[in-house]
């Protein structure tokens, strides 16, 4: 852990937007999933929600992604399960879906708690998911193709969400709950120690102002004695 890396971790967490997220409806291509998660991290989204692809496709956890360690992933067997959980937490669901009630994606307010619902390649958002969405949004098209690639659409919509949130000053204040902030900070600084603590249901040891475990040798000794390592 270097002071520069610790400062970067903190600066990233300082800008995280816990009330903005993405949920995918059986998007299955690894490169699309990877690109969406990468965009989530880039705009300050710390949690990504996805419906497990149908049989025959690789699931997200098996996909190699440079951003996976920075973005927490939540999986669901059905999109309804994911949408229900997000709605119960106060999120509005904006489905990227062409319909009679769809509006320009720039016309909605992304500064409120919201989730962008993205549909699978070719099929798009499923009928059940479209039905439960609060609003449908579309990206205006000027050419012959009917839609953008799903990962490109995610980037376009999330860039607008970032613009709105920047204008409202939401990146200028720490918005994560303190417990979540310190939990993530410790996991980023000390992933192996965090994994050990999680496995054995141990509280994370405190960190000093440089991200180093306070009295780490003493803590290691206590752990070794407890588990007779």
């Amino acid at each position: 852990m270097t002071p520069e890396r610790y400062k970067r971790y903190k600066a990233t967490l300082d800008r995280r937007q816990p009330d903005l997220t993405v949920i995918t409806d059986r998007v299955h291509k690894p490169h699309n999933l990877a690109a969406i998660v990468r965009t989530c991290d880039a705009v300050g989204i710390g949690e990504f929600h996805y419906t497990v692809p149908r049989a025959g496709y690789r699931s997200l956890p098996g996909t190699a992604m440079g951003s996976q360690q920075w973005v927490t992933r939540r999986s669901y067997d059905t999109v309804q399960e994911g949408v229900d959980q997000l709605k119960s937490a106060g999120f509005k669901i904006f489905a990227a879906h062409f319909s009679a009630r769809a509006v320009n994606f720039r016309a909605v307010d992304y500064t409120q708690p919201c989730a962008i619902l993205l549909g699978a390649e070719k099929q798009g958002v499923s009928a059940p998911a479209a039905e439960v969405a609060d609003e449908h949004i579309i990206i205006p098209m000027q050419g012959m193709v009917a839609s953008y690639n799903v990962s490109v659409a995610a980037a376009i919509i999330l860039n607008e969400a970032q613009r709105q949130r920047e204008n409202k000053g939401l990146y200028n204040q720490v918005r994560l709950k303190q417990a979540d902030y310190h939990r993530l900070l410790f996991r980023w600084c000390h992933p192996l120690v965090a994994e050990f603590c999680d496995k054995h249901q141990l509280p994370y040891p405190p960190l000093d102002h440089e991200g180093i475990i306070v009295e780490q040798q003493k803590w290691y000794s206590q752990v070794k004695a407890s588990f007779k390592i």
Side-chain angles (χ1 to χ4, degrees), residues 14 22 136 162 170 217 225:
D14 287 349
V22 167
H136 295 169
Q162 177 180 339
L170 297 182
Q217 290 304 323

Side-chain angles (χ1 to χ4, degrees), residues 206 212-220:
I212 307 300
I213 294 174
V214 174
E215 297 184 323
Q216 57 181 330
Q217 290 304 323
K218 179 180 178 181
W219 184 82
Y220 288 142

Side-chain angles (χ1 to χ4, degrees), residues 93-118:
I93 309 298
F94 296 144
H97 181 66
F98 183 80
S99 72
R101 64 183 177 104
V103 299
N104 188 304
F105 78 104
R106 296 187 182 93
V108 300
D109 178 11
Y110 299 104
T111 65
Q112 63 187 310
C114 61
I116 312 304
L117 172 60
L118 301 167

Side-chain angles (χ1 to χ4, degrees), residues 18-21 47 49 76 81-93 112-115 177:
D19 57 353
L20 175 65
T21 192
E47 281 197 355
H49 303 257
Y76 308 94
E81 180 186 352
V83 167
D84 286 347
Q85 182 158 319
L86 287 167
K87 282 193 169 186
S88 69
F91 284 72
K92 272 198 168 183
I93 309 298
Q112 63 187 310
C114 61
K177 294 179 181 178

Side-chain angles (χ1 to χ4, degrees), residues 5 9 37 47 68 94 150 153 205:
R5 194 163 184 80
Y9 286 163
V37 173
E47 281 197 355
Q68 62 180 335
F94 296 144
V150 64

Side-chain angles (χ1 to χ4, degrees), residues 155-208:
I156 292 171
I157 295 168
L158 290 176
N159 182 262
E160 171 63 14
Q162 177 180 339
R163 185 192 68 80
Q164 291 186 16
R165 285 172 174 253
E166 284 177 337
N167 288 343
K168 198 169 182 179
L170 297 182
Y171 289 96
N172 299 330
Q173 51 189 287
V174 178
R175 307 192 64 240
L176 283 171
K177 294 179 181 178
Q178 187 176 36
D180 293 335
Y181 186 107
H182 289 295
R183 173 176 51 81
L184 289 167
L185 181 61
F186 189 91
R187 287 181 176 177
W188 291 3
C189 291
H190 304 280
L192 294 180
V193 177
E195 183 180 355
F196 178 87
C197 290
D198 291 343
K199 179 180 179 181
H200 297 285
Q201 298 183 325
L202 296 174
Y204 295 160
L207 301 177
D208 65 16

Side-chain angles (χ1 to χ4, degrees), residues 2 10 24 32 36 41 56 58 62 95 97 100 126-127 141 147 163 194 197 200 206 210 219 221 223-224:
T2 64
K10 286 180 63 66
T24 60
N32 284 333
I36 294 170
D41 175 61
R58 265 194 300 171
H97 181 66
S126 63
M141 306 291 296
S147 64
R163 185 192 68 80
C197 290
H200 297 285
E210 294 183 343
W219 184 82
S221 297
V223 169
K224 286 180 180 180

